[in-house]
């Protein structure tokens, strides 16, 4: 994979403006700091390709096509215009691979703490670029580019491994469990395994998260490393991971078990409004390397089974349940009045959310906005972490929730309005209050789509609105029904929970038994 012929140019045109191209632009700026970049945006006449054609030809610069589903359409437009162009995604992978190689030569960043009990791998610039590139483009570009980056990342990790060995810290794979730490999901599982005599190590994606929970990790080996590198640095034969889609760069064979993030993970592929070939590539990459994946309820099990069968995925399904839900059941109040509406968007553009919030405020409703961590992280990565605050309304009934974790007490008195966030599924089952899915259709996410025969929403757990006015009407009706002592809605969700969720109330014990059985079969 050689794009060295493009390196001498001082200017590039990026096509299109927005979406996937923003990630590529962020990478290119770091890899080519002296270069000038200009976006081609067909939505405006003055920046459209047809009107920029002569300028591009006169400049001799290349158009870097950096799209997802519409890549082929944009390539066709470049061919028709006869402008010089290249696959900007593959070029970014080439440049990023070189950047990782340079950081490898420099030695990679890490530190050993707590008498070598804690290994902290620093999140270097190139590795953070790799994370966002892989997360977005694993469904869109040729395997050659992904393999190129994975190999560069592997060599980067190998360099750190060599340096660690000089300090008598070794990364050989041994018996036991590597467990992604989550206080409400994996801590009790880990503690049960320790009591049964198994060796474990905890994995944290960030040092700040480790700092918050380090008291739970005394005397336990800890790996802190960027998510994209977790497969290399975990050292136990069995790895418990909170979600999929990790590049496989391990030194040796491990048994990987995906706990899944929430119920919605089973259905997140259903409303993806993208090309089938790209959707299937994404799903295969998502589950690649997982020997087992956990289902929380019967419906998610059925969804996984259908997807795995159609795409010939060999991952086995474990009927586990949800230890986090089990913990929440103990705290659920018997009755609770709805006092506010909490917006927690993930896929929906902030402009749509703000339009809806302003409509709610016109009706004197109390509104809370909680931006999804993935949105905040992406904004920070793109350098736009502050901009959204300038758009927020000033109103006594509006507030922005910036706490690290959602407070359960807040959810019990709220109707949550979300889209593809995990709270869309987890909240109704713990609060017995339906979530409203507010998701105006976009090119990548459309709740009207039912890939594999499954819809994202469930009529017992959700209400659905595609525009702000309908959302307001549904929200007001739901609030009235819940506050007028109408127990049928809550009763329906409670019965669903009893009938559908695996091992309700004791999922941790079942999961530990399954882990023990798998371990003994190795």
């Amino acid at each position: 994979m050689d794009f060295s012929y493009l390196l001498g140019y001082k200017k590039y045109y990026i096509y299109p403006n927005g979406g996937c191209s923003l990630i590529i632009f962020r990478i290119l700026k770091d890899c080519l700091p002296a270069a000038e970049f200009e976006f081609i945006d067909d939505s405006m006449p003055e920046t459209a390709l047809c009107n920029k054609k002569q300028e591009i030809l006169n400049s001799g610069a290349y158009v870097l096509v950096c799209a997802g589903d519409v890549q082929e359409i944009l390539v066709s437009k470049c061919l028709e215009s006869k402008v010089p162009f290249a696959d900007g995604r593959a070029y970014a992978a080439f440049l990023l691979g070189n950047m990782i190689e340079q950081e490898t030569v420099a030695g990679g960043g890490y530190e050993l703490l707590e008498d070598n009990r804690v290994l902290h791998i620093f999140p270097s610039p190139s590795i953070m670029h790799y994370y966002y590139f892989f997360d977005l483009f694993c469904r869109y570009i040729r395997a050659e580019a992904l393999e190129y980056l994975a190999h560069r990342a592997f060599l980067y990790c190998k360099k750190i491994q060599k340096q660690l060995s000089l300090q008598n810290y070794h990364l050989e794979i041994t018996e036991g469990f590597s467990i992604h730490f989550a206080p409400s999901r994996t801590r009790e599982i880990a503690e049960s395994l320790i009591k049964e005599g198994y060796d474990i190590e905890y994995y944290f994606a960030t040092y700040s998260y480790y700092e918050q929970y380090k008291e739970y990790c005394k005397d336990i080996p800890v790996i802190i490393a960027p998510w994209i590198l977790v497969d290399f640095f975990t050292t136990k034969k069995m790895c418990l991971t909170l979600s999929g889609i990790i590049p496989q760069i391990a030194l040796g064979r491990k048994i990987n078990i995906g706990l899944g993030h929430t119920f919605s993970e089973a259905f997140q592929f259903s409303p993806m409004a993208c090309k089938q070939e790209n959707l299937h590539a994404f799903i295969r990459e998502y589950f690649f390397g997982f020997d087992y994946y956990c289902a929380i309820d019967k419906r998610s099990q059925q969804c996984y089974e259908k997807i795995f069968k159609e795409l010939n995925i060999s991952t086995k399904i474990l009927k586990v349940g949800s230890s986090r839900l089990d913990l929440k059941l103990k705290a659920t109040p018997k009755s609770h009045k709805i006092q506010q509406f909490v917006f927690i968007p993930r896929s929906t553009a902030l402009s749509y959310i703000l339009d809806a919030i302003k409509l709610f405020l016109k009706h004197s409703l109390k509104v809370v906005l909680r931006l999804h961590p993935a949105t905040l992280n992406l904004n920070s990565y793109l350098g736009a972490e502050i901009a959204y605050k300038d758009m927020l309304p000033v109103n006594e009934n509006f507030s922005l929730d910036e706490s690290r974790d959602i407070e359960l007490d807040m959810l019990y008195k709220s109707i949550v309005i979300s889209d593809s966030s995990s709270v869309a599924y987890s909240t109704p089952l713990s609060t017995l209050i339906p979530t409203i899915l507010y998701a105006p259709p976009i090119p990548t996410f459309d709740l009207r789509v039912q890939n594999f025969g499954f819809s994202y929403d469930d009529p017992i757990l959700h209400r659905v609105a595609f525009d702000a006015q309908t959302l307001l009407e549904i929200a007001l009706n739901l609030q009235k029904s819940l506050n007028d002592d109408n127990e049928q809605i809550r009763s329906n969700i409670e019965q669903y929970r009893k009938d559908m969720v695996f091992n309700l109330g004791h999922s941790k014990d079942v999961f530990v038994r399954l882990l023990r059985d798998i371990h003994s079969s190795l």
Side-chain angles (χ1 to χ4, degrees):
M1 196 171 94
D2 187 5
F3 285 85
S4 55
Y5 68 95
L6 287 173
L7 290 175
Y9 290 88
K10 299 189 183 301
K11 180 175 181 177
Y12 302 88
Y13 291 87
I14 297 179
Y15 190 29
N17 184 8
C20 297
S21 67
L22 295 180
I23 299 295
I24 298 300
F25 177 54
R26 180 71 180 82
I27 295 170
L28 292 174
K29 282 201 305 180
D30 269 10
C31 293
L32 300 169
E36 178 187 351
F37 300 97
E38 183 176 337
F39 283 99
I40 296 174
D41 189 342
D42 286 337
S43 67
M44 297 183 290
E46 62 271 21
T47 57
L49 180 65
C50 59
N51 293 327
K52 300 286 286 186
K53 171 184 173 180
Q54 197 56 50
E55 176 188 321
I56 295 169
L57 291 172
N58 291 341
S59 71
Y62 268 77
V63 174
L64 302 179
V65 186
C66 307
D69 262 9
V70 298
Q71 179 81 1
E72 293 178 4
I73 295 173
L74 302 188
V75 166
S76 296
K77 289 185 176 182
C78 289
L79 288 169
E80 290 171 9
S81 298
K82 298 182 180 179
V83 296
F85 71 94
D87 186 334
R89 309 163 309 176
Y91 183 42
F94 168 76
L95 293 171
L96 183 53
N98 292 344
M99 188 178 181
I100 295 173
E101 184 178 29
Q102 291 170 9
E103 291 187 4
T104 302
V105 173
Y110 71 92
E111 61 183 352
L112 289 168
L113 307 169
E114 305 287 346
D115 294 325
N116 290 5
R117 181 176 60 84
V118 177
L119 170 61
H120 177 205
I121 308 298
F122 300 150
S124 74
S126 68
I127 296 304
M128 294 310 297
H129 285 321
Y130 179 34
Y131 167 80
Y132 281 101
F133 184 93
F134 180 85
D135 187 53
L136 180 59
F137 288 105
C138 67
R139 72 199 80 176
Y140 294 131
I141 64 173
R142 298 191 313 272
E144 177 188 6
L146 295 177
E147 290 170 359
Y148 174 78
L149 283 174
H151 181 64
R152 292 297 187 192
F154 176 76
L155 296 178
Y156 176 86
C157 295
K158 284 285 288 181
K159 182 63 176 286
I160 293 177
Q161 181 192 27
K162 183 177 180 180
Q163 292 174 314
L164 286 169
S165 66
L166 297 176
Q167 297 177 254
N168 203 31
Y169 185 103
H170 302 287
L171 291 173
E172 289 89 350
I173 296 175
T174 58
E175 296 288 340
F177 295 84
S178 295
I179 299 177
H180 188 176
F181 182 89
S184 63
R185 300 198 59 198
T186 60
R187 185 169 65 86
E188 287 191 343
I189 294 167
E191 290 171 351
S192 295
L193 291 169
I194 291 171
K195 286 180 182 177
E196 295 189 17
Y198 293 100
D199 291 330
I200 75 156
E201 67 182 8
Y202 277 134
Y203 163 73
F204 290 82
T206 65
Y207 184 79
S208 61
Y209 199 63
Y210 164 71
E211 280 275 278
Q212 185 179 358
Y213 293 104
K214 64 189 301 182
E215 289 301 310
Y216 295 109
C217 307
K218 290 180 177 178
D219 304 320
I220 298 174
V222 171
I223 306 293
I224 308 167
W227 185 252
I228 200 78
L229 303 180
V230 61
D231 190 51
F232 187 96
F233 288 103
T234 50
T235 65
K236 301 301 180 182
K237 282 190 175 179
M238 292 186 63
C239 299
L240 276 62
T241 308
L242 285 179
S243 70
I245 200 162
I246 302 171
Q248 302 300 300
I249 55 174
L251 285 170
R253 178 72 176 120
K254 302 174 184 176
I255 300 296
N256 288 304
I257 300 173
L259 277 72
H261 187 51
T262 182
F263 288 71
S264 62
E265 192 166 29
F267 310 105
Q268 67 172 316
F269 313 106
S270 301
M272 285 188 175
C274 58
K275 290 182 179 179
Q276 287 294 295
E277 63 210 68
N278 290 336
L279 172 63
H280 293 176
F282 175 60
I283 294 173
R284 290 191 181 97
E285 194 69 49
Y286 196 95
F287 293 105
F288 177 73
F290 279 95
D291 301 273
Y292 300 90
Y293 218 80
C294 296
I296 300 175
D297 73 336
K298 293 177 182 177
R299 185 168 174 254
S300 61
Q301 175 204 0
Q302 293 165 359
C303 186
Y304 284 137
E305 286 177 343
K306 184 76 177 297
I307 291 171
F308 291 178
K309 182 178 180 180
E310 286 194 21
L311 300 186
N312 196 28
I313 294 170
S314 61
T315 306
K316 297 180 179 65
I317 301 166
L318 297 177
K319 302 175 186 179
V320 173
S322 172
S323 57
R324 178 165 53 179
L325 176 59
D326 292 345
L327 290 173
K328 290 178 179 178
L329 293 183
K330 300 174 184 179
T332 305
K334 290 185 178 180
S335 63
H336 32 279
K337 291 288 185 180
I338 302 302
Q339 302 174 18
Q340 62 190 12
F341 298 88
V342 180
F343 283 77
I344 310 178
R346 192 182 194 285
S347 302
T348 306
L350 187 57
S351 59
Y352 286 112
I353 299 298
L354 292 178
D355 286 345
I357 287 175
K358 290 172 183 176
L359 184 59
F360 276 53
L361 293 175
K362 281 184 180 179
H363 287 75
S364 300
L365 300 173
K366 188 175 181 181
V367 175
V368 178
L369 172 62
R370 181 181 176 85
L371 291 179
H372 196 280
T375 301
L376 294 172
N377 291 339
L378 180 58
N379 284 344
S380 178
Y381 172 72
L382 294 175
E385 60 265 44
I386 305 299
Y388 72 90
K389 291 188 178 181
D390 299 332
M391 304 166 60
L392 301 181
V394 178
N395 188 296
E396 63 181 1
N397 286 328
F398 174 79
S399 60
L400 180 66
D401 178 20
E402 296 183 286
S403 59
R404 175 182 280 273
D405 299 310
I406 300 176
E407 295 292 334
L408 276 177
D409 289 343
M410 178 181 76
L411 292 180
Y412 291 136
K413 60 184 179 183
S414 308
I415 289 176
V416 170
I417 299 171
S418 187
D419 42 35
S420 63
S421 172
S422 61
V423 298
Y425 272 79
S426 61
T427 299
L429 291 162
S430 57
T431 65
L432 304 181
I433 301 170
T435 298
I436 302 177
L437 303 180
Y438 175 49
I442 57 176
T444 55
F445 180 82
D446 188 342
L447 285 176
R448 299 169 300 181
V449 174
Q450 294 187 15
N451 295 310
F452 307 103
F454 282 86
S455 64
Y456 181 85
D457 59 285
D458 185 287
I460 295 176
L461 306 181
H462 307 122
R463 306 294 184 267
V464 179
F466 295 115
D467 61 79
Q469 185 60 46
T470 304
L471 171 64
L472 176 65
E473 294 168 6
I474 290 173
L476 290 172
N477 288 336
L478 182 57
Q479 182 185 37
K480 185 177 188 304
S481 296
L482 291 167
N483 283 347
D484 286 351
D485 295 322
N486 183 344
E487 288 301 311
Q488 190 61 53
I489 294 174
R490 292 186 173 94
S491 177
N492 288 343
I493 298 177
E494 187 172 25
Q495 189 61 48
Y496 178 100
R497 192 170 65 187
K498 290 178 181 178
D499 294 341
M500 299 296 286
V501 178
F502 293 126
N503 309 309
L504 191 64
H506 57 98
S507 63
K508 185 262 293 183
D509 295 331
V510 172
F511 190 36
V512 169
R513 187 176 69 246
L514 288 170
L515 293 174
R516 189 170 58 236
D517 291 345
I518 295 170
H519 190 275
S520 65
S521 68
L522 296 179

